[in-house]
């Protein structure tokens, strides 16, 4: 025997099932995030008052993602960097942040992979997917944050993440990508400490 509380009797069952599916869809990617992107290192260097982050990542593309790429779907990867100042008894303050967007695609006629940074740099072309993902994971002198405004003895926290943007997939693919762990390619936040 199933008991339904009084608060749920006024809500149609289809709406309850829809809400349950939405909640389940939202929770699946969080628990099932694949570590197909691994940050090997992130080194922070100050040059002329600006913080430059040199990062290296290893990217492993699974069969579903590779098949979509080989069938003409462009993949958008986002590299995010944050610099935080520690604050005792309060939330850490965001000092600076940057976001860089890279597009990985395959040209069907030439059978080559193209990696383009949206910031306007020239596109790079590669023979294999492995070469293209290796280039995507090599991020020297790219992640430059705005000037540091704190004192020389200040302790900072650095955060870096490289992930595939599911939001930038074609609309018909997004619902499946949202609930499929194989599409949630992300390194998670890589953390380091830094003192100016």
């Amino acid at each position: 025997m199933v008991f339904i509380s009084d608060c749920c009797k006024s809500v149609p069952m289809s709406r309850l099932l829809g809400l349950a599916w939405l909640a389940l869809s939202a929770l699946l990617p969080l628990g099932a995030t694949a570590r197909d992107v691994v940050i090997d290192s992130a080194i922070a260097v100050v040059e002329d008052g600006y913080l430059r982050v040199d990062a290296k990542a290893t990217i492993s593309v699974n069969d579903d993602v590779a098949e979509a790429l080989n069938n003409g779907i462009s993949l958008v990867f986002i590299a995010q960097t944050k610099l935080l100042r520690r604050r005792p008894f309060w939330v850490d303050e965001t000092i600076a942040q940057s976001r860089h967007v890279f597009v990985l695609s395959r040209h069907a006629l030439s059978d080559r992979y193209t990696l383009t940074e949206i910031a306007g740099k020239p596109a790079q072309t590669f023979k294999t997917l492995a070469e293209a993902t290796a280039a995507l994971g090599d991020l020297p002198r790219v992640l430059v944050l705005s000037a540091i405004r704190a004192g020389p003895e200040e302790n900072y926290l650095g955060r870096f993440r490289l992930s595939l943007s599911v939001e930038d997939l074609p609309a018909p693919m997004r619902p499946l990508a949202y609930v499929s762990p194989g599409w949630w390619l992300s390194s998670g936040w890589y953390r380091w400490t830094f003192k100016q």
Side-chain angles (χ1 to χ4, degrees):
M1 180 178 250
V2 177
F3 294 96
I4 300 176
S5 67
D6 292 337
C7 68
C8 296
K9 287 181 180 176
S10 61
V11 180
M13 187 57 77
S14 61
R15 182 168 285 174
L16 286 175
L17 291 174
L19 290 173
W21 174 250
L22 183 62
L24 179 62
S25 297
L27 292 175
L28 275 176
L30 294 176
T33 300
R35 287 291 180 251
D36 292 327
V37 180
V38 177
I39 304 301
D40 300 318
S41 66
I43 300 169
V45 178
V46 176
E47 290 181 352
D48 301 324
Y50 286 82
L51 181 73
R52 187 191 85 222
V53 180
D54 296 334
K56 288 206 175 281
T58 302
I59 303 162
S60 301
V61 177
N62 61 53
D63 292 341
D64 292 338
V65 175
E67 181 181 359
L69 181 64
N70 290 329
N71 286 324
I73 304 297
S74 294
L75 304 178
V76 176
F77 286 85
I78 299 175
Q80 296 172 280
T81 308
K82 290 184 180 183
L83 183 66
L84 309 170
R85 181 191 293 135
R86 291 184 189 222
R87 294 195 291 191
F89 311 111
W90 196 245
V91 178
D92 295 332
E93 177 187 7
T94 300
I95 300 295
Q97 56 187 339
S98 69
R99 184 176 188 267
H100 294 267
V101 180
F102 301 88
V103 179
L104 180 60
S105 57
R106 180 177 171 267
H107 193 274
L109 292 177
S110 66
D111 194 24
R112 305 276 176 164
Y113 295 90
T114 304
L115 180 63
T116 308
E117 184 182 354
I118 299 301
K121 294 184 179 178
Q124 298 173 287
T125 305
F126 304 94
K127 291 181 181 180
T128 67
L129 180 56
E131 291 174 353
T133 55
L136 175 60
D138 188 20
L139 301 164
R141 308 184 65 87
V142 173
L143 308 168
V144 179
L145 300 173
S146 59
I148 299 172
R149 302 183 302 272
E153 296 303 317
E154 199 86 39
N155 282 322
Y156 298 98
L157 301 173
R159 304 286 184 264
F160 174 72
R161 175 172 67 185
L162 179 63
S163 56
L164 173 66
S165 174
V166 175
E167 288 293 321
D168 289 304
L169 291 171
M173 291 183 66
R174 281 183 224 151
L176 178 62
Y178 281 129
V179 298
S180 174
W183 281 96
W184 288 85
L185 305 180
S186 176
S187 64
W189 286 105
Y190 180 89
R191 303 175 181 196
W192 76 92
T193 55
F194 171 74
K195 184 177 283 190
Q196 184 178 359

